[in-house]
Amino acid sequence: MEKERIEELERKISSLEEDVARLKSLVYKTNSSRPKTVHAPPKQREETTKCPAQTAAKSSQAIEEPVDWEKVLFQTWLPRIFIFVFIIGVLWGFKAASDYGLMNEKAKVVLGFVVSIGFAVTGHFQIKKGRLVLGQVLVGGAIPILMLTTFAMHSLYHLVGPTLAFILNVSWIILGIIATVFYRSQALGIISAVGGVLVPFLIESNSPNALVFIGYETLLYIAFLYVAIKQKYSILYVLSAVLLNLTLFIYYSFVGDNGVKELLGMAILIQHLCLISSFFLSQSVLQVYAFTLLSSLAVTYGWLLAVFDDGTTTMVLLALVIIYALGVYAVRSSKEKFEFFITYLIVAVAFFIHQLVDLREGVILYVIQGLAVYYIAMTYKNLLHQLFSYTIYILSATYILVTPIEQVLSLPTLNWLVVLASILVFIWISIQKTEQDEHDMFKIGGSIVFSILSLIFATEVTAAGTNHLSANPQTLIMTAVWLGLSIAAFVIGSLKTFKTATYIGVGILFLTLFKLVLYDLPFIPMAIRALLFIVLGAIGLIISRLFYKKK
């Protein structure tokens, strides 16, 4: 009976909760239809207002509009594809008319201009009627037709000279830029940019001028970069940078070292400075700006190596390091920009180090840079900087570790000591910049790595210092060094109450024992063998006794 009463009571409570919920929704509907609100506590009104908004947000997330594939295929991509088909057909039609003698050269040129004007006018009216993609494609198609007609008029039919042909083509590019801004069409900008890059290649000249070519391409890039920034066209932003590098590379491949290297280097530097300025002055942090600048930094360094001598390259890199350092200071109030400028500074410093010193002599600088980047990454909790730090540090440290030590007092020995010291600094940074529960992980893992590398370092240095001795003295000295490391680790663990060091000392002691048994015994006389085992056994017993004392 008692159980039935409890169940009945639960059913009534559930029914009451449902009634209360319905009353709340009814009150909300009534309040929303009236200009005056019912006097209710502020907290209750806030909760009542939030509920429908949250429900609406959830429902809007749950219901997604289906993709209109008919619109995507037939209204967007169909005109874009077939405008090129149409242009090719027009070209072939002109060729056929010429072959059959139906049209002379001047008539073909006039017809080409008429067709391009017809494309532009038709496209304009299509845009006004709301058929945006079709209209933009038609207006965009007018630009290449104008350029091809000018090319035919100059190069094929020789009706005009190179100066007039160049002026006409530049005029068509300017019209393309105006149309891009007027119709707010990135597609028009892309077509105009590609066409503009090709203009110098469409002009035949008996005395080509490198300054005119490189200057034109650079100014064209600046123009389209400005349009891309102003209209926020990310594809045009990236494409214009790619086209400039590609065009200059093709030009350099054909011309070679013919007094144009300095001009090419200046053009690339102007481009890079423009990218720095656009990212620095942008109101919001756009990822495409940030990563384009990062890619440009690497490409610029490649160009510097190709076109400038070592001294000039070093000075330019130093200037870029200073510019990025000033940028870091200038954008310190913007977290995202600050982190990106730190990244650029890291990469620029790495290039500067590579340019300044030989890898064998300057690898220590990369180790130090990796540590500095790791400190910055842990301070600002930036994953990208952490990846940079790991990459720089691991690559440089690996290069040092695989370089053999042939003499005790040598550069490889110094490099090894720097790596060992850097591991301790790495552990310290990790402990300072992480949560308390992660400290032991860094202590134990770092100590194990440090101990293994210390053992390898001691072995290599000992082998380098005793290579003039016979096998027996070498073996004895090596064993003594290992025992010394074991005792040092145990002492450090005892004095600093750092158990990990104690365990590592015991581990090295066992490794020494294994080395004696498995490798050293055949090379050691009986008397010395007995002495070594007595010493090793005594050390083991003393350490064991000290463990009891600690307990």
Side-chain angles (χ1 to χ4, degrees), residues 280-294:
F280 178 78
L281 296 174
S282 60
Q283 297 297 322
S284 58
V285 178
L286 299 177
Q287 299 292 323
V288 67
Y289 287 14
F291 288 106
T292 302
L293 180 55
L294 182 60

Side-chain angles (χ1 to χ4, degrees), residues 404-410 412-414 416-417 420 454-467 477-478 481:
I405 299 175
E406 297 176 353
Q407 295 181 353
V408 176
L409 299 177
S410 62
T413 303
L414 176 62
W416 262 92
L417 291 172
L420 292 174
S454 297
L455 197 60
I456 296 172
F457 171 68
T459 302
E460 288 201 28
V461 170
T462 304
T466 59
N467 59 1
I477 294 173
M478 189 72 72
V481 170

Side-chain angles (χ1 to χ4, degrees), residues 370-520:
L371 275 180
V373 176
Y374 182 69
Y375 180 82
I376 294 170
M378 297 301 288
T379 301
Y380 294 99
K381 307 297 180 185
N382 187 291
L383 180 60
L384 180 62
H385 294 166
Q386 277 186 266
L387 295 176
F388 269 115
S389 67
Y390 294 150
T391 302
I392 296 170
Y393 184 83
I394 291 173
L395 289 177
S396 55
T398 302
Y399 178 84
I400 290 173
L401 298 181
V402 299
T403 303
I405 299 175
E406 297 176 353
Q407 295 181 353
V408 176
L409 299 177
S410 62
L411 183 61
T413 303
L414 176 62
N415 290 343
W416 262 92
L417 291 172
V418 171
V419 170
L420 292 174
S422 69
I423 292 173
L424 297 178
V425 177
F426 203 96
I427 297 170
W428 178 81
I429 294 173
S430 303
I431 292 173
Q432 295 296 316
K433 300 297 182 180
T434 54
E435 302 295 333
Q436 186 68 34
D437 56 352
E438 296 178 331
H439 290 182
D440 289 339
M441 179 185 69
F442 285 110
K443 284 181 180 179
I444 296 171
S447 300
I448 292 173
V449 172
F450 179 82
S451 303
I452 293 172
L453 293 180
S454 297
L455 197 60
I456 296 172
F457 171 68
T459 302
E460 288 201 28
V461 170
T462 304
T466 59
N467 59 1
H468 61 285
L469 301 175
S470 59
N472 287 343
Q474 278 187 335
T475 303
L476 289 174
I477 294 173
M478 189 72 72
T479 303
V481 170
W482 282 36
L483 283 174
L485 285 176
S486 173
I487 294 170
F490 185 80
V491 170
I492 292 172
S494 300
L495 294 178
K496 298 293 184 180
T497 63
F498 183 30
K499 288 185 178 181
T500 305
T502 304
Y503 298 148
I504 288 170
V506 174
I508 296 175
L509 188 66
F510 274 102
L511 286 174
T512 307
L513 178 61
F514 293 149
K515 176 178 175 293
L516 276 173
V517 173
L518 299 177
Y519 180 76
D520 294 341

Side-chain angles (χ1 to χ4, degrees), residues 54-261:
Q54 293 172 353
T55 306
K58 289 180 180 178
S59 62
S60 64
Q61 291 175 358
I63 301 173
E64 295 182 358
E65 292 186 4
V67 178
D68 188 351
W69 289 107
E70 182 177 329
K71 180 178 180 181
V72 171
L73 293 174
F74 298 132
Q75 294 186 22
T76 302
W77 285 106
L78 198 68
R80 291 178 179 176
I81 294 171
F82 282 92
I83 187 65
F84 291 103
V85 176
F86 184 86
I87 291 173
I88 293 172
V90 169
L91 293 175
W92 286 349
F94 283 171
K95 181 69 169 58
S98 178
D99 292 342
Y100 288 105
L102 300 177
M103 193 179 299
N104 60 27
E105 294 172 350
K106 292 182 180 179
K108 283 187 285 186
V109 170
V110 172
L111 184 59
F113 285 124
V114 170
V115 170
S116 60
I117 294 171
F119 265 50
V121 172
T122 306
H124 173 74
F125 284 108
Q126 291 298 318
I127 292 172
K128 289 188 69 175
K129 292 179 180 179
R131 305 183 186 98
L132 296 178
V133 176
L134 177 60
Q136 291 170 358
V137 166
L138 290 173
V139 174
I143 303 299
I145 293 177
L146 284 170
M147 294 180 62
L148 289 171
T149 304
T150 305
F151 168 74
M153 182 171 59
H154 162 62
S155 298
L156 301 182
Y157 309 143
H158 305 289
L159 297 176
V160 296
T163 303
L164 180 57
F166 183 79
I167 293 172
L168 287 175
N169 273 323
V170 171
S171 302
W172 310 146
I173 299 307
I174 294 173
L175 286 176
I177 294 174
I178 294 171
T180 300
V181 176
F182 183 78
Y183 293 113
R184 298 182 180 274
S185 171
Q186 184 169 212
L188 283 172
I190 292 172
I191 293 171
S192 302
V194 174
V197 164
L198 295 176
V199 163
F201 298 99
L202 301 177
I203 306 299
E204 289 185 358
S205 177
N206 295 325
S207 56
N209 191 312
L211 178 61
V212 172
F213 177 87
I214 296 173
Y216 165 79
E217 295 289 352
T218 306
L219 291 174
L220 183 74
Y221 165 74
I222 294 173
F224 280 104
L225 177 70
Y226 177 77
V227 172
I229 294 171
K230 201 72 175 175
Q231 302 296 322
K232 296 181 180 179
Y233 293 152
S234 57
I235 298 176
L236 183 60
Y237 184 90
V238 177
L239 182 66
S240 57
V242 172
L243 286 175
L244 177 62
N245 282 275
L246 184 61
T247 306
L248 296 182
F249 177 76
I250 293 172
Y251 181 77
Y252 181 58
S253 300
F254 281 102
V255 175
D257 187 9
N258 194 17
V260 300
K261 284 187 173 182

Side-chain angles (χ1 to χ4, degrees), residues 320-334:
L320 289 177
V321 168
I322 295 172
I323 289 171
Y324 281 120
L326 293 174
V328 169
Y329 178 78
V331 301
R332 64 190 182 279
S333 58
S334 172

